[in-house]
Amino acid sequence: MGYILCQVKRAKTPYYIESISMNIYSIEELCYYIYHNIYLLDETIINEGLCFWIKNELNLTRLYQKLFRLLDERGNIGEFILPVFKEINYLSFAEFKEINKQLKVFEEQPEVVRLKMKGDYLFNHEKYINAIRVYTQAQQKSKDSNLGAQFLGSIYNNMGCAYVRLFQTEEAFECFGQANEILHSGASLRSYLYSAYFNKGKDIYERLCEETRVDSKTKQEMDDKIRKAQEVVLPRDIDQLLDGWTRSYHRNTGL
């Protein structure tokens, strides 16, 4: 694990990054966030508020002036973040060239695709509530796009996965149902049936398996997975487990 020595004073009042529910206190933390979260760089962080925070809290007046001018010119994200990295020489030229390349590919995508990529990124980093919010935006915009039903189905599927991680089984069941109606794949059907079992119960699960004509081999595999999922063995130190669950809940929801 490496360490970065702060070259500029820390802020008394942090800058709050809404997308991942996190406070940052220094230019080093800002650079770290930008470098490791390029799919989350949007108006929720690149805005006047960030510029004023850099001036008022970090006393970086010249950087503030550069960024405010770039913000007014509405250039691309790469142009905006370059001065931030240069302020403390955070990246080598090769590193910045690589991140700028990734940003260019990202910015060339249609807005709805960028939203899904952002949602997937949040999901993979266990920010499930924020991921669902982004997926909802992508879902609405997808209906007006020309990307086809498969793309919309993938959004519903991923949103269902996020609801599962939050143990919101009813919402997950609805999402997986929508995904299966669109995708008609073996994977989408299994997700739908699994969610039916854990939300609607065994009887509904069995009825849906019959209605969708699940073959005996697939049915047996699903039954085995459901049985294993219910075989929960609690550890001796239950207090430590509950404490871990609580911390995980706060990290994943931002609450």
Side-chain angles (χ1 to χ4, degrees), residues 50-67:
L50 176 64
C51 295
F52 289 130
W53 179 79
I54 286 172
K55 180 182 73 169
N56 298 330
E57 291 294 328
L58 303 182
N59 294 330
L60 297 174
T61 305
R62 290 184 180 178
L63 178 59
Y64 155 78
Q65 291 171 343
K66 289 180 184 178
L67 297 181

Side-chain angles (χ1 to χ4, degrees), residues 1-251:
M1 180 177 179
Y3 296 88
I4 299 173
L5 181 65
C6 290
Q7 304 175 39
V8 179
K9 75 162 194 169
R10 285 169 57 86
K12 291 182 179 179
T13 303
Y15 185 75
Y16 180 70
I17 301 176
E18 182 181 355
S19 58
I20 60 171
S21 306
M22 184 182 79
N23 288 323
I24 58 174
Y25 288 85
S26 68
I27 188 69
E28 288 80 9
E29 289 178 354
L30 177 60
C31 288
Y32 182 90
Y33 172 83
I34 291 173
Y35 183 66
H36 291 278
N37 298 278
I38 61 170
Y39 292 153
L40 304 185
L41 300 181
D42 56 21
E43 66 281 355
T44 63
I45 183 170
I46 298 178
N47 54 40
E48 291 183 356
L50 176 64
C51 295
F52 289 130
W53 179 79
I54 286 172
K55 180 182 73 169
N56 298 330
E57 291 294 328
L58 303 182
N59 294 330
L60 297 174
T61 305
R62 290 184 180 178
L63 178 59
Y64 155 78
Q65 291 171 343
K66 289 180 184 178
L67 297 181
F68 207 86
R69 184 181 69 254
L70 290 168
L71 193 66
D72 189 53
E73 293 173 357
R74 299 183 181 278
N76 61 46
I77 296 174
E79 292 175 346
F80 184 89
I81 64 175
L82 177 58
V84 180
F85 288 133
K86 280 187 172 181
E87 184 68 26
I88 57 171
N89 296 317
Y90 187 84
L91 298 179
S92 66
F93 176 75
E95 288 172 328
F96 179 77
K97 187 176 180 181
E98 177 59 29
I99 193 175
N100 203 35
K101 179 181 176 182
Q102 294 177 42
L103 276 169
K104 187 175 181 181
V105 172
F106 178 66
E107 290 183 304
E108 288 174 349
Q109 301 298 320
E111 181 185 7
V112 65
V113 174
R114 296 200 305 271
L115 282 170
K116 183 180 179 296
M117 291 171 69
K118 180 178 177 181
D120 292 345
Y121 183 89
L122 288 165
F123 176 86
N124 291 331
H125 286 75
E126 301 181 343
K127 299 296 180 181
Y128 303 123
I129 286 183
N130 288 337
I132 290 168
R133 289 171 181 160
V134 175
Y135 284 141
T136 300
Q137 296 175 43
Q139 170 197 324
Q140 294 167 348
K141 291 184 178 296
S142 177
K143 295 175 181 177
D144 299 324
S145 72
N146 60 354
L147 294 174
Q150 294 289 313
F151 183 78
L152 177 60
S154 68
I155 295 174
Y156 274 118
N157 178 80
N158 294 7
M159 191 185 302
C161 292
Y163 277 122
V164 167
R165 296 298 180 89
L166 295 172
F167 302 101
Q168 296 184 17
T169 59
E170 183 174 352
E171 291 83 355
F173 176 70
E174 292 175 359
C175 287
F176 286 133
Q178 292 280 1
N180 187 54
E181 284 185 17
I182 296 170
L183 299 173
H184 299 294
S185 67
S188 66
L189 177 58
R190 286 192 293 273
S191 294
Y192 174 56
L193 294 174
Y194 284 136
S195 64
Y197 184 97
F198 290 106
N199 180 247
K200 301 297 182 182
K202 183 177 180 180
D203 291 342
I204 299 296
Y205 164 76
E206 295 289 351
R207 178 170 63 80
L208 288 174
C209 284
E210 290 183 10
E211 291 178 357
T212 54
R213 299 179 179 179
V214 175
D215 63 86
S216 58
K217 181 181 178 181
T218 301
K219 177 67 163 54
Q220 186 60 53
E221 291 174 352
M222 293 180 64
D223 291 345
D224 290 343
K225 287 186 177 181
I226 289 172
R227 187 180 65 255
K228 289 180 180 178
Q230 294 176 314
E231 294 175 353
V232 178
V233 179
L234 293 177
R236 294 180 180 178
D237 192 351
I238 188 66
D239 290 336
Q240 183 177 355
L241 176 66
L242 291 173
D243 181 61
W245 283 349
T246 300
R247 283 186 275 106
S248 178
Y249 172 82
H250 289 305
R251 182 180 69 252

